[in-house]
Amino acid sequence: MAAIQWHSRGRRYESELRSCRMESQPVEFGEYHPLKPITVTDSKSRRGRKGSTSSSSSSCSSVAPDPLSSLMDGTDPLSMFAAASVCEPLSMSHSSSMGELGKKRKEEEEGLGADFEPWSSKRGEILSRFTTTEKLSINLFMGSDKGKAPSPGTSAVSEKVRTRLEELDDLEEGSQRELLNLSQQDYQNRIEELNQSLKEAWSSDQKVKALKIVIQCSKLLSDTSVIQFYPSKFVLITDILDTFGRLVYERIWSMCSDPQPLPDSFSADEVNDTAKETCLNWFFKIASIRELIPRLYVEAAILKCNRFLTKSGIQETLLRLTAMIRGIGDPLVAVYARAYLCRMGMEVAPHLKDSLNQNFFDLLGSFRQVHGNSVQKQLAAQRVEIPVYLTLYSPAIHWILQCVAYRAPEPLLTEMMERCKTLGNNALLLNSVMWAFRAEFIATRATDFIGMIKDCDEAGFPKHLLFGSLGRSLACADPAESERLPILNEAWKVITKVRSPQDYINCAEIWVEFTCRHFTKREVNTVLSDIIKHMTPDRAFEDAYPQLQSVIRKILTYFHDFSILFSMERFLPFLDMFQKDSVRVEVCRAIMDIFIKHQQEPTRDPVILNALLHVCKTMHDSVNALTLEDEKRSLSVLINGFIRMVSFGRDFEQQLSFCVEARATFCNLESVLVQLIHTVNQLAMETRKVMRGNHSRKTASFVRACAAYSFITIPSLSNIFSRLNLYLLSGQVALANQCLSQADAFLKAAVSVLPEVPRSISIEGKLRSSESFLLDFTNNFLSTLLVVPDHPEQGVMYLVRGLLNMVQDYTWEENSDAKVRVYISALPLLAAMSQEAYLYTIPKVDSNETLYGGDPKFVAEIDKLCETLIGQVLEHLKNLGRDESVRRQGSLAFMLFNGLLAHGDLRNNKLNQLAVNLWNLSHKHGYCEIRTSVRTLESIKHQAKQPEMAHISDMVQRLTLQSRT
C-alpha cells in the first residue's frame, strides 16, 4: 500500500462535552412520575353493578396502570384472597385452626424437642473416655442347625412350639465358645460381628437364632470383671439391643400394612389379630428367659411393640421393669439398667414421667450400696480407687437425671435436690444434678450448691470436679449480682489447691468464662496469673494446649477492647506458654480475627501496635517453603487487616516509619508487601491533600521518601503483573506530587519489566494466556503518558517510543493480534498529544502541551510515528488476507476505522479513502456485527451535521452495509 499521510483532527474538548450532555426537560405535575403513588382498585368495585363503575374508573384515570392489576384484570391479588377467605365457612376454619393448635400443643407436651440432647451424642464420648488395657473375654455364639427354618413336614403347632423351646435351651447346652485374652479393639470387633450375625440371622428368617444372640449379649452386662470398661461395654451391647428392637417392631409393623399401612398415631384396635399374635409370641419368648438381666434388657428393647397390644401397655411395662431392676444386686449394673430403661421410655413415650421419677427415687434409695462392703471387696480385687469407680456411674446418672429434668416443673426439681441433700457422700449425685438440671435452676441456687459441695467428702469424689460442673451451669445462666464475687472466691479457693496440672486446668478453663462474663480485667488478670503459676512448672502447659486455647477464646469473646486486653500484665506471658508452632499460630489467628472483626476505628496506641506486631510476626515466621498458598493467603489477609487499622493521624513520618518496620518484619508475604506499598502511596496522596497541592520543602522531601520506599520495595515482588501495576500506580502518585524524576524512574522501570512478562500465567491453578492482562496494562500506561513531560535529555516522546519498541520486540503468541491492537490503541494517545490543549492535566505539572506549545516539529514527529504505526497495521491486515484469517482481518480493520474516524483528519483525501477501504474490508466477508455497524453509521451521520465535520458527509455515502449470506 502507498504511504499514508497522517494528520490528527483538531479537538475542542469543552464544546464536545457540552454537545454530549443530555438535555433536561421540565416534567409537568399532571404527568406520570415514578415516585407518584399508584392507586390500586379494589376488586369489589369491579365486581359490583356494571353500570356503576364510572366513579372508580374516573378516580384512577390520571394514574398509570399497575402491572399487577393489568395482569389480573384490574383486581388486586390480596383483595381477591381476602374475598375468597370471607366466603369460607367460619366454623370450618375455626375447627381446623383449633385442631392444628391442639396438635401442636400435644407435640410440644409429648415429643422431644431440639433442647433434649440425644443418646447418640453421648455415645462417642463414653467409648473414648472409658477404656482399658486389661484383657477381656466374651462368649461367642457358634450357631446350630436347630436354628434353621423347620422342614415342611413339621407343620403342627405343637411341634413348632417344642422345637423353638429346644432352640432356646440349646444356648445353655454348649452352643457357645468363650474367647479369652481379648484386647479392647478385639472385643469391639467381636461385638460388631455379633451385631452383623444378628442382622444376617434375621434376614435369613432365623428369628430364634437372632434372639439367642441378643440374650447372649445381654448376659455380658452382668459381668463386671473389668469394671473400668463397663460403660463402653454397655454402649456396644445396647447398640445390638437397639438393632433387635427395631427389627422386631418393623416386622410386626409390616404385618399390619395389609391392605394399607397404619398411621403413625395408630391405636391397638387398628392392629389385626395376626400381628397381635406375633407380638404376644415375642413377649412370651422373652418371658421364658431364666436370668433377670437378659430378660429385662430384651423386653426393654422391644418396649415399643406394646403399642400393638394395649393402649396402656407401655406405661404398665415401664413400671413393672422399673420394679424388676430392684432385684439387681450390683449397683453399677443396676444404674445402667435404669439408664437403658429411661432411654427407651424417652424414645417411646417421653410424656410418661412416673417411671422416670420412680427410677430416680429408687436410685437414691439404693445409693448407699455404692459404699457397701461387697463393692469395696470388688474394687480391692481389681485395684480400682473409689474416685475412679464413682466416675463410672456418671454417664448413667447424667442420663437418668437429664430424662427426669427435661421440662420438669420447678417443685419437682426442688424436691429432688432436697432428697440429694439428705444422702451422705452424695458428691456423685450432686455432680450429676448440676450436669442435668437447667442452668437457670442451678444459678438461682448457686450458694446452696456451694454449701453442699463443701459438705461432701473429698476422698470419694474430688471437689474440683463438682466446682467444674457448677461452673458449666453458671457459664450459661447468671446468678444474682451480689453472689457473683463470693461464688468466684469460694470456687477458686478449691481450684487453686488442685495439685494435678491437668485436673487444675480442666476446672480453671471452665471458670474463666464466668470471670470474663461478670468481672473486669483485674480479676481476669489474677486468674491468668494463677494459671501461669500452675502450668509453668515442668512445662505442664505442653499437655494442656486445648484447654489453654479455650481460655484464650473465652477471653477474646468478652474483651473486644484491645487496649484493655493488652494492658493485662499476664496476658502476653500467658501467650508465651504456647510453645508449639502450630498451636501458637492458631492462637495468633484467633486474636487477629477478633481484632479485625471488632476494631471499629484506626489505632495508634503503642501498646496495641507492639503487641499485635508481635502476634503478626509470629504468624509470618511460621511461613516456610512448604507452606501452602492458601495458608499464605489467609495469613496475609489477617496481617493486611492489621496494617489498614494503623493510623498515626497527621504524623505522616511516624506512619512511614511503621511501614518501614513492617516491610522488614513481613518480607516473606508478598500480599503484605503489596498492601504496604498501597499504604505508602495513600500516605503521599494524603500529604498532597493536606498541603492542597502546594508542597513545602519538608513535605516535598517526605513524598520523595514515599516514592523511594515504593521504588525499593516493588522489585522484591515475584508476581510480574503486581510489579507492573505498582510501578505505574506509584508513578502516577509521584506525578501528582510533582516528583517528576521519581515518576520518570517508575515508568522507565515498568517499560523495562515488560519483556519479562510470560506468555501464560497460572490463575487458580490453571494456565491462562497473559495477553489480555498485558493489553489492559498497556492501555492504562498509554493513558498516563499523556500527562508525562518529556525528559530534557532523552528526546521527544522517549517513553512512548520505548514502550512501542518493547511491544515490537516482545515474543507474542503465534496467530496473535495483540501487538497490532497496541499500535491501534497508541493512535488516540498520539492524536491527543498533538492538540493545543490536552484532555486532562495534573495541577502544577507542565505537560508537553506547555513544553512544546504546539511546535510544528513536535507535531510532525507525532504524525510520522502515527504513519509508521498505521503502516504496521496495514501490513498485518495484508498478511491476514493471505492466511485467509478473514474474521480477524475484519475485526482489526473495523477497529482501525474507528480510530481514524475519531482521531484522524479526514479532510485529507488519502486518509478519507483509507477509512472507506477499511470499512469495506471489515464488511467484505460479512463477519462484522450488523447492529454495531448500523449504530456506527448513525453516529457518523450525526457528526456530519456539525459544521466542522461537514467533510465526512461525502464519505457516509460510500459506506455500505454488507451481511453474510
Side-chain angles (χ1 to χ4, degrees):
M1 292 184 181
I4 299 299
Q5 294 182 355
W6 170 271
H7 295 287
S8 299
R9 179 164 71 91
R11 305 291 293 272
R12 298 183 179 87
Y13 295 116
E14 293 184 1
S15 60
E16 289 181 21
L17 179 63
R18 286 194 298 269
S19 64
C20 292
R21 286 176 179 164
M22 297 179 64
E23 297 181 1
S24 60
Q25 295 182 353
V27 179
E28 297 182 5
F29 290 104
E31 296 180 0
Y32 169 73
H33 190 272
L35 298 181
K36 193 173 182 180
I38 298 176
T39 304
V40 179
T41 307
D42 191 356
S43 60
K44 292 182 179 179
S45 64
R46 299 283 183 180
R47 296 183 180 183
R49 293 173 291 119
K50 294 182 179 180
S52 61
T53 59
S54 59
S55 60
S56 61
S57 62
S58 62
S59 63
C60 303
S61 60
S62 61
V63 182
D66 179 17
L68 291 178
S69 300
S70 61
L71 285 175
M72 303 192 66
D73 195 21
T75 58
D76 177 21
L78 295 180
S79 60
M80 288 178 63
F81 295 148
S85 63
V86 171
C87 300
E88 295 178 357
L90 293 177
S91 59
M92 184 182 299
S93 62
H94 177 72
S95 61
S96 62
S97 63
M98 288 298 291
E100 292 176 0
L101 185 62
K103 184 178 180 181
K104 183 176 181 182
R105 185 181 295 116
K106 186 176 181 181
E107 289 177 355
E108 290 177 352
E109 291 177 354
E110 298 187 1
L112 293 177
D115 54 340
F116 185 82
E117 186 179 4
W119 174 258
S120 58
S121 65
K122 301 176 181 294
R123 182 181 179 279
E125 180 189 353
I126 295 174
L127 288 175
S128 61
R129 179 181 174 191
F130 297 98
T131 59
T132 183
T133 56
E134 297 186 26
K135 297 301 180 181
L136 304 165
S137 62
I138 186 173
N139 292 325
L140 190 64
F141 180 69
M142 299 298 295
S144 173
D145 292 337
K146 295 178 182 180
K148 297 180 181 178
S151 61
T154 59
S155 57
V157 175
S158 59
E159 184 69 19
K160 184 177 179 181
V161 170
R162 187 174 66 201
T163 302
R164 293 196 172 181
L165 289 174
E166 290 175 356
E167 290 171 348
L168 287 174
D169 291 337
D170 183 56
L171 183 63
E172 301 172 2
E173 293 175 0
S175 63
Q176 51 188 339
R177 176 166 57 92
E178 187 174 15
L179 298 178
L180 303 175
N181 298 324
L182 297 177
S183 67
Q184 179 180 332
Q185 187 59 48
D186 292 336
Y187 190 92
Q188 293 181 8
N189 293 338
R190 296 297 182 183
I191 293 292
E192 182 57 35
E193 288 177 11
L194 287 173
N195 200 356
Q196 193 62 33
S197 299
L198 168 65
K199 296 177 183 177
E200 292 174 359
W202 190 272
S203 61
S204 60
D205 203 28
Q206 300 183 53
K207 304 296 189 295
V208 174
K209 179 180 178 181
L211 180 58
K212 286 181 182 181
I213 295 173
V214 175
I215 294 172
Q216 178 187 351
C217 293
S218 301
K219 284 185 175 182
L220 296 175
L221 291 174
S222 61
D223 176 24
T224 57
S225 56
V226 184
I227 202 165
Q228 296 105 315
F229 186 64
Y230 191 85
S232 294
K233 183 202 294 188
F234 171 79
V235 169
L236 295 171
I237 292 176
T238 52
D239 286 346
I240 297 178
L241 290 167
D242 294 341
T243 302
F244 177 73
R246 176 176 53 81
L247 292 173
V248 172
Y249 184 83
E250 291 175 355
R251 163 72 174 160
I252 301 173
W253 175 275
S254 64
M255 299 176 69
C256 302
S257 300
D258 190 22
Q260 59 183 9
L262 289 174
D264 291 336
S265 57
F266 69 90
S267 63
D269 298 334
E270 301 176 67
V271 180
N272 58 48
D273 293 339
T274 305
K276 285 186 177 180
E277 182 181 353
T278 305
C279 186
L280 280 170
N281 189 25
W282 277 109
F283 280 108
F284 290 153
K285 289 177 184 177
I286 293 168
S288 66
I289 300 174
R290 297 170 186 173
E291 297 185 27
L292 172 62
I293 290 178
R295 182 168 74 250
L296 174 71
Y297 272 101
V298 178
E299 185 171 358
I302 65 167
L303 177 67
K304 192 175 181 180
C305 295
N306 282 282
R307 293 185 63 191
F308 297 110
L309 299 177
T310 60
K311 183 178 181 180
S312 59
I314 292 177
Q315 184 174 8
E316 295 169 357
T317 304
L318 282 172
L319 293 174
R320 177 169 54 81
L321 294 179
T322 300
M324 286 172 59
I325 295 177
R326 297 169 187 165
I328 301 177
D330 192 312
L332 184 64
V333 176
V335 75
Y336 275 95
R338 296 187 192 282
Y340 186 70
L341 185 60
C342 290
R343 179 184 148 206
M344 299 310 297
M346 289 297 287
E347 290 180 3
V348 175
H351 60 288
L352 298 177
K353 300 289 187 181
D354 293 342
S355 63
L356 299 176
N357 298 338
Q358 190 60 51
N359 268 295
F360 175 71
F361 294 135
D362 285 354
L363 171 64
L364 294 182
S366 61
F367 192 70
R368 293 183 180 85
Q369 288 181 286
V370 174
H371 303 280
N373 292 331
S374 60
V375 172
Q376 298 298 328
K377 291 178 182 179
Q378 184 182 20
L379 297 183
Q382 298 192 35
R383 298 178 180 178
V384 176
E385 300 292 334
I386 279 287
V388 176
Y389 175 69
L390 292 179
T391 57
L392 302 178
Y393 285 81
S394 298
I397 298 179
H398 285 358
W399 179 258
I400 294 171
L401 284 170
Q402 179 184 332
C403 297
V404 171
Y406 182 66
R407 294 180 180 174
E410 195 88 0
L412 178 61
L413 299 181
T414 305
E415 178 188 355
M416 291 178 178
M417 193 182 82
E418 293 299 327
R419 289 206 184 190
C420 291
K421 280 184 180 180
T422 60
L423 290 175
N425 295 328
N426 63 345
L428 177 62
L429 276 174
L430 188 60
N431 185 58
S432 297
V433 165
M434 290 186 289
W435 265 89
F437 281 19
R438 290 191 295 270
E440 294 79 9
F441 179 88
I442 305 297
T444 55
R445 297 165 178 80
T447 305
D448 295 338
F449 277 100
I450 288 178
M452 294 168 65
I453 292 173
K454 286 182 177 179
D455 296 337
C456 291
D457 184 9
E458 179 72 28
F461 199 89
K463 288 186 180 180
H464 68 85
L465 294 180
L466 297 175
F467 274 106
S469 300
L470 179 61
R472 285 188 186 91
S473 297
L474 297 184
C476 302
D478 299 332
E481 187 172 355
S482 59
E483 298 178 357
R484 293 172 186 172
L485 187 57
I487 289 172
L488 179 61
N489 289 333
E490 292 294 336
W492 211 260
K493 285 178 185 177
V494 176
I495 297 170
T496 195
K497 293 178 182 177
V498 178
R499 294 182 179 180
S500 167
Q502 197 63 40
D503 292 340
Y504 168 81
I505 193 61
N506 285 336
C507 193
E509 174 254 329
I510 297 170
W511 280 89
V512 164
E513 183 167 3
F514 179 79
T515 310
C516 295
R517 187 169 179 169
H518 299 297
F519 299 99
T520 63
K521 70 173 185 178
R522 176 173 168 271
E523 289 78 9
V524 175
N525 191 61
T526 303
V527 170
L528 292 179
S529 178
D530 195 62
I531 294 176
I532 295 171
K533 176 183 174 183
H534 280 79
M535 302 307 295
T536 303
D538 300 326
R539 299 180 67 87
F541 54 79
E542 292 181 347
D543 299 322
Y545 283 139
Q547 293 87 344
L548 296 176
Q549 285 179 271
S550 177
V551 170
I552 287 289
R553 283 194 296 270
K554 289 173 180 177
I555 292 174
L556 293 175
T557 301
Y558 292 96
F559 287 87
H560 298 156
D561 189 340
F562 278 73
S563 61
I564 295 177
L565 188 67
F566 289 123
S567 64
M568 296 183 196
E569 295 178 1
R570 310 308 294 169
F571 184 76
L572 290 179
F574 184 86
L575 292 181
D576 291 337
M577 287 197 295
F578 295 98
Q579 299 290 320
K580 189 177 179 181
D581 290 343
S582 59
V583 178
R584 185 167 67 248
V585 171
E586 192 174 342
V587 170
C588 293
R589 279 173 172 274
I591 293 173
M592 294 310 302
D593 275 330
I594 296 297
F595 176 78
I596 293 172
K597 184 177 180 180
H598 294 283
Q599 185 71 21
Q600 301 295 331
E601 297 179 355
T603 181
R604 60 184 300 172
D605 188 330
V607 175
I608 296 178
L609 296 186
N610 290 331
L612 290 183
L613 263 178
H614 172 71
V615 170
C616 291
K617 186 178 186 301
T618 301
M619 295 192 298
H620 169 269
D621 292 347
S622 68
V623 175
N624 53 43
L626 300 178
T627 306
L628 299 175
E629 288 299 322
D630 285 346
E631 179 75 8
K632 290 182 181 179
R633 190 180 301 113
S634 62
L635 292 177
S636 299
V637 167
L638 295 174
I639 297 174
N640 287 342
F642 163 62
I643 292 173
R644 283 193 292 267
M645 294 307 296
V646 176
S647 174
F648 290 90
R650 290 290 185 90
D651 192 350
F652 294 154
E653 291 182 352
Q654 185 66 28
Q655 186 88 26
L656 183 59
S657 299
F658 169 80
C659 291
V660 171
E661 181 182 357
R663 180 178 61 187
T665 305
F666 308 122
C667 57
N668 290 332
L669 292 174
E670 188 161 311
S671 299
V672 178
L673 295 180
V674 171
Q675 175 63 44
L676 288 171
I677 294 170
H678 284 303
T679 302
V680 171
N681 283 333
Q682 183 180 2
L683 192 60
M685 295 305 294
E686 288 179 359
T687 306
R688 177 180 180 273
K689 182 180 179 182
V690 170
M691 300 303 295
R692 298 181 181 178
N694 299 313
H695 282 297
S696 63
R697 179 178 299 178
K698 183 178 180 180
T699 58
S701 299
F702 177 76
V703 294
R704 284 195 292 271
C706 291
Y709 178 97
S710 300
F711 193 77
I712 293 171
T713 310
I714 293 173
S716 63
L717 304 178
S718 61
N719 187 293
I720 185 70
F721 282 103
S722 294
R723 273 189 280 159
L724 284 172
N725 290 321
L726 287 172
Y727 272 134
L728 179 57
L729 178 64
S730 301
Q732 292 168 346
V733 171
L735 270 178
N737 285 281
Q738 302 120 47
C739 302
L740 300 184
S741 60
Q742 285 78 8
D744 197 63
F746 279 118
L747 298 177
K748 282 199 295 185
V751 173
S752 65
V753 168
L754 278 177
E756 301 176 20
V757 176
R759 293 170 62 177
S760 59
I761 54 177
S762 177
I763 300 177
E764 297 181 355
K766 297 180 180 179
L767 284 178
R768 303 282 179 86
S769 173
S770 62
E771 279 191 1
S772 59
F773 299 96
L774 189 54
L775 286 174
D776 288 341
F777 170 77
T778 307
N779 290 333
N780 194 359
F781 193 88
L782 287 170
S783 65
T784 304
L785 292 181
L786 178 63
V787 296
V788 179
D790 283 342
H791 196 282
E793 300 177 359
Q794 299 289 344
V796 178
M797 296 184 297
Y798 77 101
L799 282 175
V800 178
R801 294 179 186 275
L803 175 64
L804 295 176
N805 289 336
M806 286 295 180
V807 171
Q808 176 71 27
D809 297 336
Y810 183 76
T811 305
W812 300 93
E813 293 184 8
E814 294 183 5
N815 301 322
S816 171
D817 301 324
K819 179 169 68 173
V820 176
R821 290 180 181 273
V822 174
Y823 291 162
I824 297 174
S825 299
L827 290 177
L829 167 68
L830 296 172
M833 293 179 102
S834 65
Q835 304 299 319
E836 294 181 1
Y838 283 3
L839 178 60
Y840 49 85
T841 57
I842 295 178
K844 301 188 182 301
V845 174
D846 292 333
S847 302
N848 285 339
E849 62 172 342
T850 305
L851 297 180
Y852 294 106
D855 186 271
K857 292 181 180 180
F858 176 66
V859 176
E861 286 287 336
I862 293 175
D863 292 345
K864 184 178 179 181
L865 185 55
C866 290
E867 291 167 4
T868 303
L869 295 178
I870 293 174
Q872 294 281 347
V873 176
L874 295 178
E875 184 66 26
H876 184 73
L877 291 176
K878 187 188 297 184
N879 294 334
L880 289 178
R882 295 195 198 102
D883 298 339
E884 297 184 356
S885 302
V886 292
R887 183 185 291 273
R888 290 163 54 200
Q889 184 189 54
S891 175
L892 289 174
F894 193 72
M895 186 177 177
L896 181 58
F897 167 80
N898 284 324
L900 295 180
L901 181 65
H903 306 287
D905 187 359
L906 297 183
R907 288 175 294 187
N908 183 319
N909 292 333
K910 289 185 178 181
L911 207 57
N912 193 307
Q913 184 59 44
L914 176 61
V916 175
N917 292 342
L918 289 170
W919 173 274
N920 293 332
L921 179 61
S922 64
H923 290 75
K924 181 178 180 180
H925 299 284
Y927 286 110
C928 193
E929 188 177 352
I930 297 300
R931 182 180 299 178
T932 304
S933 301
V934 171
R935 291 180 177 177
T936 304
L937 272 179
E938 291 176 354
S939 176
I940 296 172
K941 292 177 182 177
H942 178 72
Q943 291 182 28
K945 295 178 182 179
Q946 300 175 11
E948 65 274 11
M949 298 293 290
H951 56 277
I952 65 172
S953 58
D954 295 335
M955 185 185 74
V956 175
Q957 306 300 324
R958 292 181 287 163
L959 302 180
T960 58
L961 290 175
Q962 297 178 19
S963 60
R964 189 182 184 193
T965 56

